[in-house]
Every structure is written in C-alpha cells, then in structure tokens.
C-alpha cells in the first residue's frame, strides 16, 4: 500500500459493511446446511437459524441411496464433463488456425464469428433446429449448441497468438504437424486459460435447468437441477415419495430433503471454485481487452 | 523412416514457420495445411447448425409455419404476426413489465458491483479482502433453481425466516410469491445477491491497473481518502463503467427470463410476465405452439434492443469519448 496509516473511522465502517455483506452471502447456505441435518420430527414448521433442529442424516440417506436421484446426479456429471470437454476441444481447434496471419479463409471465419456475436435466431428458431436435427432426448441437445461461442474463440485466439512463435517453430523442426503443435505445445502452455473456461463452462452445464427442461422429456435422462426444480419450485415430491427406500427410512420431511438436495448439488462446485479464483481475474482481463 | 521424418519436418517448417511470408494460391495453401482446415471443421459446422440455421429460421416469423410443411412449404403471411403482437391484449403489460424490470436492474443491479469494488479496494488488510472476495463470488456458482428455491424457503409464509421476523414484530405474514407488488423487489434483490461479487471482479481488475504514483502524489497534495477515490479511482475506471453501461442498456430488454420462469405464477403475471417468458409460453410450453408468432415477437424484441444499443453508444461517444465502436 502506498501509505501506512492507523485505522480510521471509515476503515472500521468499511470492515463492518464487508462483514455484514459476507454474512448475507453465507447465511442462506449455512441455513440450508442446518436444515439438511435437522431432525424432521423436531423440525415441524419451525424456523431454522444457523444450527440444525435436532440431528438426523435421514435426508442424505434417502437421497444418496435412491437409484433415480443418483441417476439425476450422474446425468449432471456426465453432461457437465462431456459438454466442457467438447467446448474446450472444438474452441481450441477453431482458434488455432486463426492465429496464422496468412491463414486462407481466416477473414471469412472471423466475420462469421462476429456476426454470430451480434445476431441470433432467438429462442424458438434455435429450439426448432435442435428438434429437427432429432437431438431431443439425447445429451447432444444440451452439449452441442453452446459448444462454440464467438466470444470464447476470440479469447482463445488472442491467448494462443501471444505464445511466442519461436516455440511453435522449434516444434516444427522436429517434424511436428499442426495437431501435434496444438496438443503438445499450445494446450499445455494455455493451462490457466483452459482452467478458467473449463470452470465457467462446467458451472454453466451443472447449473442449467432451462435447456434440459425443453429438450429432455425422458425423466431418466434429466439432470439434478430438474429434480431440484420439482421439489424446490413446483413443490412436487413424487420423486421422493416414490423412492424405493422410503419405507426403510421413516421420519423424513420435505424440508430436510430440500436442504440436503441443495447441499449435495452445490458442494462440488463450491469446493472447487476458491482454488481457481486466481484465474478468474486473468480470464476476465483477457475477455475485457478483447471485448 | 528417418528420411520421411526429415521430409515431414521440412514441409512442416514451410507450413508453420515461413507461411507468414508466403504468397501463394488458395489451393496451394490448403494443400499444404490440410490440418488447419480439418481443425476448423467441427467449429464451423457448429456455427452453421446452431447459430446460422436459427438465424435463417427467422423467416418463419413471416410465415404461418407448420412443422410438417417445413420452411419451404409453409404459407407466407408477411407482417401479420407483428401486427398481431401490437394488438395482443397483453402487449402493453408485457412491454411495461419488461421495461420496468430492465430499468430496475439498471438502477440497482448495475451500480451495486461498482460500489462493492470501491469499498473492497479501500480494505487495507489483504487477507480480509481476499476472504471477503472469495465469499462474494460464491453465489455466482449457485444455480438459479437453488437461488430461487432458497428465496422461496426464506419468504415462505409458514416457516420462512422473513415471515418469522415479521410475525415477531407483530406484523402480518406475507405470501411474497403470490403478491404482484413483491415480484420486482424479489427479482432485483436475488439478482444482486447472485451477481454482485462476480461482477465486481472487472472493476477491481481495472483498479489494480491504476498507477500507484497517482495516489502517492495525491497524498503529498494532502488529498484525503474520499478525494482520492473521487479524483483518481473513479475517473480511472470510468471507461470500463461506460462500456459496461452501454452493454447493460443494450440488454435492458434481456430480462433473466429463466429466473422469472422459476419465480412467477398466474398470480404474479401482472408484474412478472415479460416478453421473453411470453415467447416461451406461446412458442414452446403450450400445446400446439405458435412457432411463427413467438419468433416474430423475438425478432421485434431483438430489433428494439439493437436500437437501444446503438443510441446509448452514440450518446456515450459524444459525452465521454468511450464507446463500443
């Protein structure tokens, strides 16, 4: 810092505001955690503060041992993993040729990309295209349409172009083709970029409910967010009530199940993002310069 | 073996290293670098199928589109759907709600991350700052379904903490999600909660690039903290603010309709139903979807958005010399 000073009244005020704000961000999650561990019998309609009312693992036991709910969860992992991988590979492959200044056809591709940035067919035509291609009720309806975004391709291109040309040339002396250069040199040198975009994309797929809602009618293919939508928003507990193990576990309430379902869905992402935080700013900066 | 490797090496050098200076015919370039075009293929195919084909699909807004007949076989009706939209009994309500939510978002959700970034930038303890930042990013990673689910839980008339507080203070419990009056504040507040931390990153990054010497000389000149913020920090990040503001105004009609779908119900349509949710209901959700009408409404909205973007860009250009293009 430029000048060392004692804490002023403003500093105290500022710390207080930040602390209150952090509490506002954390409280809903803490409350949900408390709710999920609460004992259904003691809970009733009581308001949960920050501690569980009673203690019980029944909600988790139900969710984690029910085949259907487990399948929703595995579907989510599958879609997020596949979607992210496809996005990273296709975006890298599209960005790489564009880094060569004399690449024939590069201008045309850039124009096609920029147009897609400003104009879109909108919801209904996009829906109809996916419908017509016969992708409904397959995971391709979710993972293919968002795989290429002009914005991502441009950022990848800028990042790749900043890798010294001497590195690419030294590889070509060893007889490496374009695919080898991309796979062995460009990709390993772009790890921060790839990590940032992998995180954004994975989060996008993990949290999506809308596209699965319109494209996946078969319940067995649905991701966890649609299950969450049913129990949190539509207050439809048929998934839970039809659970095969409900007879085994008594003493369970819709509220504790809601809490536990939220916790098992958000935990993986909340555990990962703090470690990738240093990359956000970098990613944002690259994006901002380009945009 | 070794000869072929050497040969491959030589062609690679030509194609990778010296290609920048080379002037040859199109065909020769493609023959030399087939791999580059193979790489381009998946992305290009994706662009054509999922971006350009839907753009071409806009023509069904001028047709009485029937899936069985296809785009080429359906009847052309000109601007019928556009005129129908202006005469739609919900037209006024949809436009009003869309604009109002857009204006509320611009008024409250846009400045919030700037204020947060300014305050965070003044936090002296680096550890405290880092922890606060990490916590503030968290809501961004929570899905809309969960955010709205938690909001419903909080505001539930029976067991929600908000109503518990209201009851404790002697007030009457409010069924927030059934009251049209409460929809806009819930929409805006949940949006700020989810976005403020993450949106502040870009402003913090801009602040990190400010030359520290500016502050040093300000201190020598006797400038206090507020004056430093006012005369150095804010002017330094102003270009970023202006550009994001232009984009925000351009997106004023782009309500977070996925969130609204999770929040609204016929009880709150009066304030919650916006153009995009209407497009969804008419074009996709309802039996016997009216694809053409929904598409026309979408095109109309996109055009208005584009006009907003162009006007704001003009105004910003003339006032601050910062603009998108």
């Amino acid at each position: 810092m430029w000048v060392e000073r004692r804490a002023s009244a403003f500093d105290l005020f500022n710390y207080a505001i930040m602390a209150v704000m952090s509490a506002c961000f954390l409280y809903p999650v803490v409350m949900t955690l408390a709710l999920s561990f609460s004992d259904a019998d003691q809970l009733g309609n009581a308001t949960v503060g920050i501690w569980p009312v009673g203690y019980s693992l029944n909600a988790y036991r139900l969710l984690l041992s029910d085949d259907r709910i487990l399948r929703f969860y595995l579907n989510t992992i599958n879609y997020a993993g596949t979607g992210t991988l496809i996005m990273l590979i296709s975006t890298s492959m599209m960005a790489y040729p564009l880094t060569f200044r004399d690449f024939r056809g590069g201008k045309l591709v850039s124009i096609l990309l920029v147009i897609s940035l400003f104009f879109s067919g909108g919801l209904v035509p996009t829906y109809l295209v996916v419908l017509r291609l016969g992708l409904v009720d397959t995971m391709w309806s979710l993972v293919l349409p968002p795989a290429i975004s002009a914005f991502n391709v441009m950022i990848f291109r800028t990042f790749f172009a900043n890798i010294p040309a001497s590195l690419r040339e030294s590889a070509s002396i060893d007889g490496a083709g374009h695919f080898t250069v991309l796979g062995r040199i460009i990709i390993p040198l772009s790890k921060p970029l790839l990590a940032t975009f992998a995180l954004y994309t994975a989060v996008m797929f993990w949290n999506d409910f809308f596209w699965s809602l319109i494209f996946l009618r078969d319940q067995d293919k649905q991701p966890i967010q649609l299950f969450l939508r049913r129990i949190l928003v539509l207050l439809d507990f048929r998934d839970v009530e039809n659970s095969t193990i409900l007879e085994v576990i008594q003493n369970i309430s819709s509220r504790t199940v809601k809490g536990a379902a939220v916790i098992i869905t958000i935990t993986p992402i909340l555990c990962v993002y703090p470690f990738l935080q240093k990359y956000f700013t970098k990613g944002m900066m690259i994006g901002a310069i380009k945009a | 073996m070794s000869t072929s490797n050497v040969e491959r090496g030589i062609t690679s050098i030509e194609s990778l290293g010296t290609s920048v200076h080379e002037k040859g015919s199109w065909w020769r370039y493609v023959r030399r670098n087939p791999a580059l075009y193979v790489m381009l293929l998946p992305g290009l195919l994706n662009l054509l199928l999922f971006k350009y084909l839907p753009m071409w699909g806009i023509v069904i807004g001028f047709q009485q589109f029937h899936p069985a007949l296809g785009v080429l076989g359906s009847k052309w009706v000109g601007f019928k759907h556009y005129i129908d939209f202006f005469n739609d009994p919900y037209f006024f309500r949809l436009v009003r709600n869309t604009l109002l939510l857009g204006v509320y978002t611009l008024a409250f959700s846009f400045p919030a991350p700037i204020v947060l970034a300014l305050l965070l930038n003044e936090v002296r303890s680096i550890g405290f700052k880092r922890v606060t930042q990490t916590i503030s990013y968290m809501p961004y990673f929570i899905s809309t379904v969960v955010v709205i689910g938690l909001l419903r839980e909080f505001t539930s008339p029976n067991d929600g903490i908000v109503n518990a507080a209201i009851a404790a203070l002697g007030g009457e419990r409010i069924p927030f999600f059934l009251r049209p009056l409460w929809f806009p504040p819930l929409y805006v507040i949940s949006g700020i909660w989810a976005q403020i931390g993450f949106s502040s990153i870009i402003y913090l990054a801009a602040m990190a690039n400010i030359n520290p010497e500016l502050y040093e000389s300000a201190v020598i000149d006797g400038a206090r903290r507020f004056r430093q913020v006012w005369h150095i920090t804010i002017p330094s990040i102003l270009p970023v603010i202006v550009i994001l503001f232009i984009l925000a105004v351009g997106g004023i009609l782009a309500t977070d309709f996925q969130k609204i779908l999770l929040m609204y119900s016929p009880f709150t349509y009066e304030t919650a139903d916006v153009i995009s949710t209407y497009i969804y209901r008419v074009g996709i959700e309802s039996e016997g979807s009216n694809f053409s009408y929904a598409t026309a409404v979408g095109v109309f909205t996109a055009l208005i958005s584009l006009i907003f973007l162009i006007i704001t860009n003009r105004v910003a250009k003339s006032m601050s010399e910062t603009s998108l293009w």
Side-chain angles (χ1 to χ4, degrees):
Chain A
M1 290 284 111
W2 46 97
V3 168
E4 290 301 329
R5 241 185 312 211
R6 277 176 298 129
S8 65
F10 169 77
D11 281 317
L12 293 177
F13 168 78
N14 199 6
Y15 281 122
I17 287 192
M18 292 295 121
V20 169
M21 207 190 56
S22 300
C24 289
F25 289 134
L26 286 176
Y27 179 68
V29 176
V30 172
M31 185 214 74
T32 312
L33 206 57
L35 192 62
S36 70
F37 285 111
S38 289
D39 183 288
D41 277 349
Q42 293 177 48
L43 181 65
N45 271 343
T47 303
V48 176
I50 51 171
W51 293 109
V53 179
Y55 172 77
S56 157
L57 284 174
N58 281 348
Y60 287 100
R61 218 168 277 157
L62 173 83
L63 289 175
L64 296 177
S65 55
D66 187 275
D67 286 346
R68 285 167 51 80
I69 292 161
L70 216 57
R71 185 170 314 137
F72 296 143
Y73 203 70
L74 290 177
N75 287 342
T76 291
I77 294 175
N78 183 18
Y79 301 156
T82 315
T84 305
L85 208 63
I86 289 182
M87 175 270 177
L88 289 179
I89 293 174
S90 58
T91 305
S92 303
M93 291 209 312
M94 196 169 194
Y96 175 77
L98 298 176
T99 55
F100 295 94
R101 252 181 297 156
D102 72 330
F103 175 60
R104 296 299 164 96
K107 267 240 169 71
L108 179 70
V109 175
S110 298
I111 291 170
L112 284 175
L113 284 168
V114 170
I115 291 175
S116 80
L117 206 56
F118 284 95
F119 299 95
S120 111
L123 177 64
V124 173
T126 307
Y127 170 76
L128 286 173
V129 166
V130 174
L131 210 66
R132 275 305 178 85
L133 291 173
L135 301 179
V136 166
D137 263 339
T138 69
M139 72 184 255
W140 309 115
S141 63
L142 301 183
V143 299
L144 291 184
I148 288 288
S149 114
F151 187 69
N152 292 355
V153 174
M154 287 163 162
I155 292 171
F156 274 49
R157 183 191 56 192
T158 311
F159 196 96
F160 290 171
N162 284 337
I163 293 172
S166 58
L167 282 169
R168 296 184 235 157
E169 280 159 28
S170 69
S172 69
I173 290 166
D174 300 335
H178 287 300
F179 275 99
T180 318
V181 173
L182 178 62
R184 295 270 170 80
I185 297 180
I186 307 285
I187 299 280
L189 287 172
S190 307
K191 272 186 196 146
L193 173 88
L194 298 177
T196 312
F197 280 82
L199 177 74
Y200 289 156
T201 313
V203 167
M204 182 189 83
F205 282 115
W206 192 277
N207 287 342
D208 167 68
F209 81 95
F210 180 73
W211 299 103
S212 341
L213 176 70
I214 65 177
F215 290 139
L216 302 179
R217 283 104 195 234
D218 181 355
Q219 275 220 356
D220 285 345
K221 297 197 170 123
Q222 292 182 349
I224 195 86
Q225 298 292 343
L226 286 186
F227 165 68
L228 283 175
R229 174 174 171 269
R230 282 197 290 277
I231 65 168
L232 292 174
V233 176
L234 305 178
L235 306 181
D236 167 4
F237 282 87
R238 269 172 294 181
D239 292 320
V240 180
E241 280 156 11
N242 292 340
S243 169
T244 43
I245 63 148
L246 195 61
E247 297 99 63
V248 187
I249 299 175
Q250 292 300 316
N251 176 19
I252 195 144
S253 89
S254 60
R255 292 181 68 203
T256 56
V257 171
K258 279 191 218 173
V262 167
I263 295 299
I264 61 169
T265 311
I266 65 178
T267 302
I269 289 177
L270 294 195
C271 288
V272 172
Y273 92 86
F275 299 101
L276 289 168
Q277 196 181 322
K278 61 176 173 178
Y279 295 130
F280 299 168
T281 326
K282 275 188 201 157
M284 287 289 258
M285 284 309 284
I286 306 166
I289 291 161
K290 197 64 223 170
Chain B
M1 280 296 274
S2 65
T3 4
S4 76
N5 265 342
V6 170
E7 270 170 19
R8 262 181 47 211
I10 290 167
T11 46
S12 300
I13 291 169
E14 282 175 2
S15 59
L16 288 170
T18 62
S19 59
V20 179
H21 309 292
E22 194 178 303
K23 292 261 179 216
S25 72
W26 247 91
W27 181 235
R28 233 176 85 200
Y29 187 84
V30 177
R31 285 260 309 265
R32 283 226 174 132
N33 301 282
L36 291 181
Y37 294 88
V38 173
M39 281 180 187
L40 210 55
L41 215 57
L44 218 50
L45 200 66
N46 181 289
L47 212 57
L48 293 178
L49 279 180
F50 299 111
K51 301 288 188 303
Y52 281 87
L53 212 53
M55 272 188 236
W56 153 248
I58 283 175
V59 299
I60 70 170
F62 301 95
Q63 294 183 324
Q64 196 56 57
F65 177 74
H66 197 283
L69 300 174
V71 173
L72 298 174
S74 295
K75 211 176 80 190
W76 292 91
V77 295
F79 285 91
K80 176 181 178 292
H81 299 297
Y82 293 86
I83 296 162
D84 283 354
F85 182 51
F86 294 124
N87 294 323
D88 195 306
Y90 297 120
F91 175 79
F92 177 71
R93 188 175 85 179
L94 293 169
V95 172
R96 181 197 63 200
N97 289 347
T98 307
L99 276 175
L100 274 180
L101 288 183
V103 169
Y104 294 146
T105 306
L106 208 57
F108 299 105
S109 311
F110 181 77
I114 302 175
V115 175
L116 174 62
L118 287 172
L119 289 175
L120 267 173
N121 197 43
E122 294 302 316
V123 170
R124 293 281 183 245
S125 154
I126 291 175
F128 185 85
K129 184 177 165 184
R130 196 165 289 162
V131 170
T132 314
Q133 269 178 281
T134 306
I135 292 173
S136 74
Y137 301 155
M138 184 204 65
Y140 178 84
F141 294 98
I142 294 179
S143 73
T144 319
V145 173
V146 169
V147 171
I148 298 309
L150 293 180
L151 189 64
R152 282 174 181 270
E153 203 53 35
F154 266 67
T155 56
S156 149
N158 299 322
D159 42 42
I161 192 156
V162 177
N163 272 309
I166 292 174
L169 295 171
E172 207 169 305
R173 287 171 183 270
I174 303 167
F176 287 94
F177 273 82
L178 299 178
R179 296 280 161 82
L181 184 70
W182 281 101
F183 177 80
L186 290 177
Y187 173 86
V188 171
I189 292 168
S190 60
I192 292 179
W193 185 79
Q195 300 284 344
I196 185 172
F198 206 75
S199 307
S200 70
I201 294 180
I202 191 150
Y203 298 110
L204 285 165
M207 288 172 194
N209 283 340
I210 300 173
N211 186 352
E213 285 173 19
L214 287 176
Y215 292 104
E216 281 160 20
S217 50
V219 170
I220 293 165
D221 290 344
R224 305 270 291 264
R225 289 274 277 286
F226 286 106
R227 291 185 64 89
Q228 289 177 28
V229 169
W230 186 252
H231 290 290
I232 299 172
T233 315
I234 292 180
S236 302
I237 63 167
L238 199 60
V240 179
I241 296 179
V242 171
I243 284 180
L244 291 179
F245 186 76
I246 298 171
L247 290 172
V249 174
I252 200 164
L253 298 183
T255 41
D256 189 350
F257 82 100
Q258 299 192 2
K259 188 168 88 175
I260 300 178
L261 289 180
L262 296 167
M263 291 179 77
Y264 79 169
S265 67
F267 291 106
T268 50
Y269 280 178
E270 189 51 37
T271 55
D273 196 18
V274 295
I275 298 173
S276 353
T277 50
Y278 188 63
I279 292 174
Y280 169 74
R281 277 209 313 284
V282 172
I284 294 177
E285 197 185 37
S286 62
E287 292 287 324
S289 313
N290 193 342
F291 297 126
S292 287
Y293 186 61
T295 302
V297 177
V299 171
F300 167 77
T301 318
L303 273 179
I304 303 289
S305 296
L306 199 62
I307 293 170
F308 272 136
L309 186 72
I310 292 168
I311 293 174
T312 325
N313 194 52
R314 275 268 163 81
V315 174
K317 206 174 193 171
S318 64
M319 282 172 58
S320 69
E321 289 170 6
T322 309
S323 70
L324 283 180
W325 58 81

